[in-house]
Amino acid sequence: MIKLDIRPADGDRFESPVEGDVVIGRSTLADLTISDRFLSRRHARLYLDGDDWLVEDLGSRNGTLVNGAKIAAPTAVRPGDVIGLSASVIVVATAGSQGTDSTADGAHTIFRAAKTILGESRQAMSRSDAASPEELRRAADQLRVLVDVHQALADSMTVEELFEKVLDRVFVHFRPQHGAVFLKENGGLVRAAGRSSESRADDFPESQSLAGEVIDKGLAAVVSDTSTDERFIEAQSLLMAGVRSLVAAPLLTRKGALGMIVLSSNLSEREFREQDMELLVVVASAIGLRMRNLALAEEAAERKRFERDVALARRIQVNFLPPETPQIPGLAIYGGNIPSRGVSGDYYQVVEREDHNDVGVIIADVSGKGIAASLLTGYVDALFLAYLGEGHPPEEIFNRVSPQMNCKTPVESFATAFLGLLDPKSGRLTFASAGHDPTALVRSSGEIEWLMPTGMPLGLMPSATYTASEAILEPGDTIVLYTDGITEAANPDEDEFGRERLGECCVEHRDLPVDQLAEKLHTTVDQFAQGVPYHDDRTLVILRRV
């Protein structure tokens, strides 16, 4: 006689002694009825053949599994084996056992902190005296396995190759039926690699119960019999896969566990012990260390790729800016850009329109920073130069550019901009400002005027209307255009440099040549910031009528 521990897909767990031939199914006419709507009416048959108990599938729709492997012919089962019928599980117990309250051979479960085990292992390996022969033997075994694993992982490889090589060594030293590596990913559990012994499926099931103990708590585990442990009593997936004895260890790094490695077997073939758990912890620590090193190497490579991309983007962006300061009779001109992140969201141009006898001066600040903002500056540059070449006035250019930006760029993308047309002979400046910081008009007498915005930033709305305004530059007068990376530069007290300080500096040094005035402005801002990093790009354009 044998006893069956039956765990139906629907309903409560129960036990049933079996003495002879029994047909199992969902029909009430079956010898053993199990509540499972996906079970066939006559699903499988369990019978005694000499001294052996065999189970055979009776042509069921979903098949019958023994220890996770689908059977095609009558298959012998022994105490400790697991029979899978659809979503229901039957655990074969010994005739004299008390169901699942105890198992043969002294079943037990141990959970221990992996860090503690690692510390004890290092201590044992370093001891040369006062150690028992058993302790020395175990330390030598651990060292031998660890050396083997490290040698296997010595070559350059991907994470996928790492897991395959680890499983190679694990199957040699631990002789499991199943082995799998699970990783934490996006708050869930992902099976990254798996393997099973010959003729067995390698679809080792996920176990959130086990992951909660091993990964989340950093515990190593050895379970002699999952069917008797309360943590896994409802883990049908483990039993269906034939998992009875298992050992697991977290893949530890300094920042916590990246995942876990789990080895399992059926009781009749392999029962894991505490020594296995201690050894697997040492192996898992090597895996975690190697994974961390691979991640650091990939991060370094990715950083180099990014730096190359940024350098290339910066070279491309520099081509958008004036290659050299234009030499225009009647004007002294300076233009410069300092990016905060390699590439800039700022943009400027000074363009002489020969057919119109005036000079176009543009400064723009695209929302955001870095490569994304720099890409948008290229788009803005193309639009501005195209419409300037067609002879449109500043307000009309903005009226055309703004809706195109709104239509073809993300909703969070916009740009502030100042566009002016200056006649060097008359000093007449016609300009439009799309939400840009007020432009400083510094008179040669020391007075300062601020040229205010004439409309909202470009690209904010599907339609927007911009107007133009005018100013006259007398000989010696200077206009200073800038982006808010200058005025919003902060010092250690988190005070901003501000427009007022910028204006004072421009007035005080108004007699300096324009390039020296620009240098004085940058030096003054640097002194104010006192080493606090700049968080935005800084662009400065200065025009003086001479």
Side-chain angles (χ1 to χ4, degrees), residues 85-98:
L85 307 171
S86 182
S88 300
V89 173
I90 297 176
V91 179
V92 180
T94 57
S97 72
Q98 298 298 316

Side-chain angles (χ1 to χ4, degrees), residues 123 133 284 295 378 400 445 466 472 478 496 520:
Q123 186 177 23
R400 290 170 179 254
S445 61
Y466 297 87
I472 298 295
T478 305
E496 293 186 349
K520 177 60 71 172

Side-chain angles (χ1 to χ4, degrees), residues 80 100 217 244 314 520:
T100 57
K217 298 180 182 179
R244 289 294 295 277
R314 181 58 180 166
K520 177 60 71 172

Side-chain angles (χ1 to χ4, degrees), residues 112 117 120-121 124-125 132-146 273-279 282:
R112 291 181 60 198
I117 295 174
E120 293 173 352
S121 296
M125 290 180 187
S132 67
E134 176 63 20
E135 289 175 326
L136 291 174
R137 185 189 64 78
R138 288 170 61 182
D141 286 343
Q142 288 188 357
L143 186 58
R144 176 173 52 83
V145 174
L146 189 57
R273 298 296 186 180
E274 188 171 2
Q275 294 91 327
D276 298 309
M277 175 182 70
E278 294 171 352
L279 183 55
V282 178

Side-chain angles (χ1 to χ4, degrees), residues 136-359:
L136 291 174
R137 185 189 64 78
R138 288 170 61 182
D141 286 343
Q142 288 188 357
L143 186 58
R144 176 173 52 83
V145 174
L146 189 57
V147 168
D148 185 32
V149 170
H150 275 293
Q151 286 178 340
L153 305 185
D155 296 333
S156 177
M157 65 187 74
T158 65
V159 173
E160 292 76 13
E161 292 169 338
L162 166 68
F163 294 151
E164 290 303 320
K165 289 198 173 186
V166 166
L167 290 175
D168 284 342
R169 309 321 304 155
V170 160
F171 268 72
V172 169
H173 294 293
F174 291 86
R175 305 185 318 280
Q177 288 179 294
H178 301 276
V181 177
F182 293 94
L183 299 180
K184 289 196 302 184
E185 192 171 295
N186 300 324
L189 195 63
V190 176
R191 181 177 177 273
R195 186 176 300 178
S196 291
S197 57
E198 188 177 357
S199 78
R200 294 183 177 275
D202 66 352
D203 53 346
F204 191 99
E206 297 178 10
S207 173
Q208 296 295 337
S209 301
L210 185 62
E213 300 292 329
V214 177
I215 301 178
D216 297 339
K217 298 180 182 179
L219 301 177
V222 60
V223 183
S224 288
D225 190 348
T226 56
S227 69
T228 65
D229 191 284
E230 290 298 327
R231 295 177 180 85
F232 310 105
I233 208 76
E234 301 299 331
Q236 298 281 82
S237 61
L238 292 178
L239 294 175
M240 286 286 285
V243 176
R244 289 294 295 277
S245 181
L246 66 82
V247 60
L251 308 179
L252 289 178
T253 69
R254 291 182 179 180
K255 295 185 178 181
L258 301 175
M260 65 179 178
I261 181 170
V262 187
L263 310 178
S264 72
S265 182
N266 180 265
L267 284 178
S268 61
E269 298 189 29
R270 177 79 159 88
E271 181 178 352
F272 293 105
R273 298 296 186 180
E274 188 171 2
Q275 294 91 327
D276 298 309
M277 175 182 70
E278 294 171 352
L279 183 55
L280 189 62
V281 166
V282 178
V283 172
S285 71
I287 302 173
L289 177 62
R290 184 66 167 151
M291 288 179 65
R292 179 59 181 159
N293 290 341
L294 287 173
L296 290 174
E298 178 58 29
E299 288 174 9
E302 182 62 30
R303 185 163 53 250
K304 288 183 178 179
R305 287 193 292 268
F306 177 75
E307 290 170 353
R308 288 196 297 268
D309 289 345
V310 169
L312 176 60
R314 181 58 180 166
R315 289 198 300 270
I316 295 172
Q317 187 183 33
V318 166
N319 291 330
F320 296 153
L321 304 177
E324 57 185 21
T325 303
Q327 301 297 315
I328 300 174
L331 294 178
I333 303 171
Y334 168 85
N337 165 260
I338 304 175
S340 63
R341 298 189 181 182
V343 289
S344 172
D346 289 359
Y347 158 79
Y348 76 93
Q349 282 285 3
V350 180
V351 181
E352 185 176 13
R353 301 201 308 175
E354 297 180 359
D355 296 340
H356 300 276
N357 300 315
D358 56 20
V359 175

